[in-house]
Amino acid sequence: PAVEGLIRTFTAKAQAFDQIVKVGRTHLMDAVPITLGQEIGSWAAQLKTTLAAVKEMEKGLYNLAIGGTAVGTGLNAHPRFGELVAKYLAEETGLPFRVAENRFAALAAHDELVNVMGAIRTLAGALMKIGNDVRWLASGPYAGIGEITIPANAPGSSIMPGKVNPSQAEAMLMVCLQVMGNDTTVTMAGAEGNFELNAFRPIVISNFLHSAALLADASINLARYLVDGAVVNERQVAENVDRAV
């Protein structure tokens, strides 16, 4: 939901800035014109795509090893124990929990968690790209690109009072780096374990939940404290277009 909220905020800004023609950039060099709305709209589209991948990978999390007992055979459990527990959990939560097709694999590996963590890492990569774009666009404001002005959450400096530092974008970038590190841990933990049990589930779950919470908080704050209040520096945009054409 937090990322969906950020997507809505970007979409609203894209619509508001759709008529602002600016310089496009490739390789950090001047390219053909683009509208600011098209540029911001691409961020919303990128987040939609990566979030859709997260949702697709999430489906594997509903497969439960319940009823497999120690090694997957179901020894000492009622034959319908897993089925009934999964049914009860589904009814209580409204989520489609089910017994895994192969409970041996469900105990021996955590590939579903590794898959969804990989999708979250991809989402973090998208957010990192967008955060850096915002920093570039707001840089300056006089000696940089300076095409947007961001809210003054961290204004000024003891010797440079005109500065408005992109603290929310930088916070997002640090979160993304942490999530990428967490993904490495989850990937390695998913490759661990021996024979009938991967005992590394605690560190997988810890890093998984940590990543989801960090990205959610950072997405909410980026939308609320930076994107929503960002405005166009139309004079700078026009000057850049005039010089580049």
Side-chain angles (χ1 to χ4, degrees):
V3 177
E4 288 171 343
L6 181 57
I7 291 170
R8 288 193 296 271
T9 303
F10 277 135
T11 300
K13 284 294 179 182
Q15 293 170 349
F17 300 155
D18 190 49
Q19 301 303 311
I20 306 294
V21 177
K22 65 181 293 293
V23 175
R25 295 181 177 88
T26 57
H27 306 274
L28 290 180
M29 304 298 287
D30 300 344
V32 295
I34 189 174
T35 71
L36 184 56
Q38 290 169 328
E39 191 166 58
I40 296 175
S42 76
W43 302 342
Q46 186 179 7
L47 292 180
K48 285 180 183 178
T49 300
T50 51
L51 187 60
V54 174
K55 292 180 177 181
E56 183 62 30
M57 291 298 103
E58 279 179 353
K59 295 175 182 178
L61 300 182
Y62 299 120
N63 298 322
L64 303 179
I66 193 73
T69 64
V71 295
T73 60
L75 181 68
N76 293 334
H78 187 281
R80 295 191 63 204
F81 176 73
E83 170 197 337
L84 293 172
V85 171
K87 181 175 181 292
Y88 173 78
L89 290 173
E91 291 172 351
E92 287 294 305
T93 63
L95 299 171
F97 287 111
R98 55 189 172 264
V99 175
E101 183 177 339
N102 188 304
R103 285 181 284 205
F104 299 98
L107 286 166
H110 302 319
D111 293 341
E112 290 90 349
L113 279 163
V114 174
N115 286 339
V116 74
M117 186 65 214
I120 289 175
R121 179 211 62 228
T122 303
L123 173 61
L127 287 166
M128 190 166 187
K129 186 270 185 197
I130 292 165
N132 272 318
D133 281 356
V134 170
R135 289 205 300 169
W136 278 103
L137 289 175
S139 64
Y142 307 114
I145 295 177
E147 293 180 346
I148 65 171
T149 301
I150 59 176
N153 296 312
S157 149
S158 59
I159 59 173
M160 296 167 286
K163 289 182 66 180
V164 174
N165 296 324
S167 55
Q168 289 300 322
E170 290 165 346
M172 174 61 81
L173 298 181
M174 287 186 273
V175 162
C176 292
L177 290 174
Q178 181 65 62
V179 169
M180 291 172 184
N182 288 352
D183 174 64
T184 299
T185 300
V186 169
T187 299
M188 295 302 297
E192 283 289 352
N194 303 105
F195 300 111
E196 276 66 60
L197 181 68
N198 184 322
F200 287 69
R201 185 181 293 261
I203 195 170
V204 171
I205 293 173
S206 176
N207 281 273
F208 174 83
L209 294 177
H210 184 221
S211 299
L214 282 176
L215 283 179
D217 288 347
S219 295
I220 291 169
N221 289 338
L222 190 71
R224 180 181 300 166
Y225 297 115
L226 190 150
V227 181
D228 190 52
V231 296
V232 185
N233 185 343
E234 295 193 39
R235 178 178 176 181
Q236 186 65 46
V237 169
E239 288 179 359
N240 288 345
V241 170
D242 289 343
R243 285 196 298 266
V245 172

